[in-house]
Amino acid sequence: MTAKTIYNLDTDALPSAWLNIAAQIPYELPLPIDAVTGEPPSVESLAKLYPSECARIELLVGEYKTAPRIAIPTAVLAEYAKYRPTPLYRARGLENALGYAGAIYFKREDFNPSGSHKPNTSLAQAYYGKADGLSRLVTDTGAGQWGTALAYSCRRFDLDCSIFMTRKSYTDKPYRSTMMRLCGAEVFPSPSDRTKTGRDLLAEDPHHAGSLGIGMAEAVEYVNSVSNTRLALGCMSYYAALHQTVIGLEVEDQVKLTGDVPDIMIGCVGGGTNFIGFVAPFIIDRINGHNNIDFVAVESASIPVLTDGEYRYDFADYAGFTPKVKMYTLGHDFVPPPIHSGGLRYHGKSPILSLLYHHGQLRATSVQQEEAFAAGRLFLEHEGILPAPETNHAIAQVIREVKRSMAEGVVRNIYFCFSGTGYLDLKSYADAAAS
């Protein structure tokens, strides 16, 4: 049986404002701090690293401290309207394959050039950069969805773009870098010979697989050496989480059309912003006593940040160039094993996700690579869509929850964020099948 689509094509269905989570929860979101002074940097200081509006968001200045919603700029809305609202599907094929009497829904975030949720924030960041009169944005990327999203967004707002892509993914996913270059970006395998950080690591190991933390360190070093240039972050910032709430706001409306209230909501987590964006309005309602949804963040068992990390201030990058942020972390010098899910190979989790986890508003679990790829193949067979390796972790947890519900004799409605497709990750699938 084909999937049932819950999809409102009316332009009114596109949210006109982001949900400002920090202003609506009873916990204070810790601000980034300077590593030397231990105090939050000024907006002027942080704006030397990020576009100025991103610095204001990160420091919760003005409306970002108190306003429950933040209006989406008209130019960003116009770009969103090219691929949003995105559909919510009923996964009847997967339900039948598992023999499940409950409902499984997935929110598709792949209907854009990056094949993922990432343009929800990259378009906003490029808009802010253009408004500042910048000439270039620089970033790191793991699997390549974020790099593609930023390259595309910079093209839309007439900015140059430089990307440091983890060497493992650069080698295994060559068409991701091709996509970035098609959008006009320059792409470097990281560690690279473009920065001292990269050159030092390559001197130690010429075949270094890289990590998101290393790529971010190179990006910051590059920003500091090139004028009129700023850093763009896809996951380790509050501003990225804010922009991703467009996902959950759409889901909130779409749930009303399904008639199936969520019992469980699931998402994979690298930095965690697709998950936070997906659950944001529902987790605020739960904090206020309006639902009892089980929110499940799924990470790689090879990088068990939430399930085995510490909640403390740490650098967001490998070399210690960034301000420190309070998060669950394995340590900024942690170098993850070269798993195929490049987007999950990061030593920390975003501050807003970490804060909510610390206060028990969600639970975390981890999935081994083999289980994740098996789940992805099952999803392809029964739903006709190839998921990204990162998304496979969420699907694996869906299958676990189905089995648990069936064993308990309970029917639960399960929703998950389909954060990206895997059509440019076929080598990863091939390697996983051969291992």
Side-chain angles (χ1 to χ4, degrees), residues 41-80:
S42 65
V43 172
E44 293 74 20
S45 174
L46 198 58
K48 295 176 182 177
L49 180 63
Y50 306 136
S52 59
E53 195 68 15
C54 292
R56 293 182 70 248
I57 297 170
E58 209 63 16
L59 294 171
L60 301 181
V61 172
E63 63 179 334
Y64 298 111
K65 180 71 173 178
T66 58
R69 300 210 178 197
I70 303 296
I72 302 173
T74 301
V76 177
L77 269 178
E79 295 297 326
Y80 278 1

Side-chain angles (χ1 to χ4, degrees), residues 148-169:
T148 303
L150 189 66
Y152 169 75
S153 299
C154 285
R155 175 61 71 183
R156 296 301 309 132
F157 288 98
D158 195 27
L159 294 170
D160 292 331
C161 184
S162 301
I163 299 164
F164 291 87
M165 185 176 185
T166 57
R167 187 171 290 272
K168 167 70 173 172
S169 293

Side-chain angles (χ1 to χ4, degrees), residues 299-314 326-332 334 346-349 354 357-358 364-366:
E299 60 187 0
S300 166
S302 297
I303 306 100
V305 178
L306 293 175
T307 50
D308 200 33
E310 297 178 335
Y311 187 49
R312 60 179 174 85
Y313 272 98
D314 194 11
K326 194 168 186 181
M327 61 180 176
Y328 278 88
T329 178
L330 295 172
H332 66 276
F334 172 79
Y346 186 70
H347 66 271
K349 292 289 181 279
S354 295
Y357 180 65
H358 183 68
T365 187
S366 63

Side-chain angles (χ1 to χ4, degrees), residues 143 145 173 268 340-344 388-394 419 425:
Q145 292 98 330
K173 307 171 194 287
C268 65
H340 294 298
S341 300
L344 305 186
E390 295 80 9
T391 308
N392 287 341
H393 290 70
S419 56
D425 298 296

